[in-house]
Amino acid sequence: MDFNVSENTRLISESVREFAERNIRPHVMDWDERQHFPRELFGQMGALGLLGVLVPESYGGAGLGYEEYVEAIVQLTKVDPSIGLSMAAHNSLCTGHILQFGNEDQKKRWLPRLASGEWLGAWGLTEPNTGSDALRMLTTAVDGGDHWVLNGAKCWITHGNSAEVAVVMVRTGDLLDSHGISAIVVERGTEGWLQGRKENKLGMRCSETTEMIFQDCRVPKENLLGQVGDGFIQAMKILDGGRISIAALSLGIARGALEAATRYAGERQQFGKPIAEFQGISFKLADMATEIEAAHLLTMQAVALKNAGEPVTKVSAMAKYYASEVAVRASTEAVQIFGGYGYTKDFPVEKYYRDSKLCTIGEGTSEIQKLVIARQLFKES
């Protein structure tokens, strides 16, 4: 593995850091308290190239790779994990699905608007009664001649109410048939796509999470991605890349928590000296830093495989699983180092603490990642 950071990545890191400090940092707690989703910010992010990082320039994107993509997520997330989450979901799920499985006409139709930030994307797989058990989904698409007719509901959807376009997994065949699910793109304004309830969340509060409801929603036949029955297989491949996104999100949270805790430990005086000089505190910081480096290396291994077009299922699951657990541990220890101040909203670590838990749940829980890893091990044996 090449451990040298490319010039492109360094430039993107600096650019995104400056953007986040200027446009996001002043609003973090206000947005969090109000659960305000700053839709206007994403137009600015699109102009910076952050909403089409992996999209080729021919479709209006930045045409970059996963190394640059991960670094952009990390820098956004260190300032506000909610914004990092929304950026990652837009890129790796909706936009990534169309990029990977859309035909040429579909790519030309949707990718330029998504990459520019004119349109925001959503991705619908989860339902009220089917999370990891996606083959039992109940949302259906029935052949209506020149249209598909969609009925059902999706939940826990990032940008479910604000997105202008969504890739939705629907059942077009038999229950439990992995070839009985299809992926269909639905545009906002389509009759029958209704806004659903917005979730009141513990963390990631300014990243919009809602239901999507479909009632006799008529979608043109040409909005089908790939062939009828390809949707579940497509979704599993999209989630392989999505796990790298969550690993990057986790790294951003963990690094933000470590940086805040290190600064505080150097400034906070007790018993006549900085608390960083006490072994109990310094060992916490050492453990946090070591685990973060290990998570980073595992994530970059997944990045290298993804950029090379190699199978990434096992390593991306490992990166997502380990990095997300590290984010929770690092943010927990950061709160402990801050003591009583860490429990208040006047200091940044309580937000990292709340936001971090999503990383062990979203796009497959830690337990599901272990199942994925174990299955891959048996396949390789």
Side-chain angles (χ1 to χ4, degrees), residues 291-355:
E291 289 193 345
I292 290 167
E293 284 303 309
H296 177 250
L297 289 172
L298 196 49
T299 302
M300 295 315 293
Q301 184 181 1
V303 164
L305 290 171
K306 188 69 174 174
N307 279 339
E310 298 290 332
V312 75
T313 301
K314 183 181 75 174
V315 177
S316 67
M318 287 177 168
K320 194 272 188 191
Y321 163 55
Y322 186 71
S324 64
E325 295 291 341
V326 166
V328 171
R329 287 195 293 271
S331 58
T332 301
E333 291 289 44
V335 170
Q336 195 72 14
I337 289 168
F338 272 76
Y341 292 112
Y343 205 64
T344 73
K345 293 182 181 292
D346 295 327
F347 290 84
V349 291
E350 69 84 29
K351 186 172 185 301
Y352 291 128
Y353 181 72
R354 288 186 289 110
D355 290 347

Side-chain angles (χ1 to χ4, degrees), residues 59 90 108-120 187:
Y59 300 116
H90 171 92
K108 289 178 178 177
R109 178 179 173 185
W110 291 308
L111 289 180
R113 286 178 163 179
L114 287 165
S116 70
E118 177 188 351
W119 280 13
L120 198 62
E187 293 185 13

Side-chain angles (χ1 to χ4, degrees), residues 241-302:
R243 292 180 183 121
I244 297 175
S245 299
I246 302 298
L249 189 70
S250 302
L251 281 174
I253 292 172
R255 285 182 177 171
L258 175 62
E259 289 177 9
T262 302
R263 283 194 303 271
Y264 182 78
E267 297 166 357
R268 173 68 167 166
Q269 297 270 333
Q270 289 287 277
F271 304 101
K273 59 182 178 181
I275 63 172
E277 295 184 18
F278 292 99
Q279 190 177 80
I281 300 298
S282 64
F283 278 16
K284 286 182 185 295
L285 294 171
D287 285 341
M288 291 162 69
T290 301
E291 289 193 345
I292 290 167
E293 284 303 309
H296 177 250
L297 289 172
L298 196 49
T299 302
M300 295 315 293
Q301 184 181 1

Side-chain angles (χ1 to χ4, degrees), residues 169-184:
M169 266 50 67
V170 292
R171 189 158 57 82
T172 50
D174 294 333
L175 200 68
L176 300 180
D177 180 3
S178 62
H179 294 286
I181 292 172
S182 302
I184 296 175

Side-chain angles (χ1 to χ4, degrees), residues 19-38:
F19 175 86
E21 290 293 338
R22 183 173 63 252
N23 298 288
I24 300 173
R25 177 81 71 185
H27 310 289
V28 169
M29 292 313 298
D30 174 56
W31 291 346
D32 181 77
E33 290 286 334
R34 294 192 292 122
Q35 284 206 101
H36 170 67
F37 177 59

